[in-house]
Amino acid sequence: MSGYSEVLYVMFAMIIVSTMALNANRVIQVNNVSMVEGQLESQVVAYAQNIIEEARAHAFDEKTRYDTGGNSIVPVNIPDGFSDIGTDGETGRNSFNDFDDFDNHTETLTLGGVDYELSVNVEYVTTLDYATYSTAVGKSTLKRITVNIKSGFLKKNNSADTEPTNYNFSFIRSYYAD
């Protein structure tokens, strides 16, 4: 009978070691998935920042003009003298010349073999307390750009049957801060 108890002890030890090995493999796999997601998310943040910085480099409004010294000339009526949101005949990102030309811009980009869907929204906003912003009824001296990026590789809870996570980044630009 003593020989059987040793076999049972060995089998029990094998079960414990196997369970520990499976748990270790699961932890390694979760860490690898988290690491890859982190790298993909850093690409999303970098590209969104790139779009926002590119938009900020342009004039606040289509109506902004510059004198020979490079100083901006203010439209006569602020904010009513500003243009409507959107392009003014520009046909692509390389031809955008003011902040709100990025409105309704969409593109599919591939970074490191991963496809991302990008969409941009620009709108006039208003605020009473500089902490909360809402869409302006008309034109205002504040514009908000929102960059939305999603990818099939970045899904909520890593589930194959869920929608991709939508990452959105906003920046509010003031006419007077230029």
Side-chain angles (χ1 to χ4, degrees):
M1 208 55 183
S2 67
Y4 288 116
S5 63
E6 290 175 359
V7 170
L8 288 175
Y9 289 142
V10 169
M11 289 176 61
F12 184 67
M14 289 176 61
I15 290 171
I16 290 174
V17 169
S18 298
T19 303
M20 289 173 42
L22 287 173
N23 284 333
N25 284 338
R26 185 180 51 80
V27 168
I28 290 169
Q29 181 181 7
V30 167
N31 285 341
N32 285 340
V33 168
S34 296
M35 186 175 63
V36 169
E37 280 182 347
Q39 290 172 351
L40 295 177
E41 287 174 345
S42 68
Q43 287 181 339
V44 165
V45 171
Y47 201 77
Q49 274 300 116
N50 184 32
I51 296 286
I52 291 170
E53 292 302 319
E54 186 178 330
R56 288 180 62 195
H58 295 301
F60 179 83
D61 194 75
E62 184 71 28
K63 300 289 184 183
T64 304
R65 298 288 178 242
Y66 298 93
D67 62 15
T68 55
N71 300 313
S72 64
I73 300 170
V74 179
V76 177
N77 299 316
I78 297 175
D80 295 331
F82 292 145
S83 66
D84 291 330
I85 296 292
T87 62
D88 304 295
E90 297 89 357
T91 56
R93 198 167 131 195
N94 292 333
S95 64
F96 291 165
N97 60 4
D98 65 284
F99 188 77
D100 61 68
D101 285 347
F102 285 83
D103 186 49
N104 292 325
H105 173 70
T106 60
E107 65 181 270
T108 300
L109 59 132
T110 302
L111 299 171
V114 177
D115 291 334
Y116 297 94
E117 298 294 325
L118 170 105
S119 64
V120 182
N121 182 39
V122 180
E123 59 191 344
Y124 283 108
V125 293
T126 188
T127 184
L128 297 175
D129 57 6
Y130 293 99
T132 56
Y133 295 88
S134 60
T135 303
V137 174
K139 298 174 183 174
S140 74
T141 58
L142 300 172
K143 290 180 182 176
R144 175 174 48 203
I145 185 170
T146 304
V147 178
N148 298 294
I149 301 179
K150 61 184 175 179
S151 171
F153 284 96
L154 294 168
K155 295 190 176 198
K156 295 176 183 170
N157 302 324
N158 295 321
S159 177
D161 60 344
T162 61
E163 285 290 317
T165 302
N166 184 31
Y167 296 87
N168 60 30
F169 304 87
S170 293
F171 176 78
I172 296 176
R173 183 173 180 186
S174 171
Y175 175 76
Y176 296 111
D178 284 346

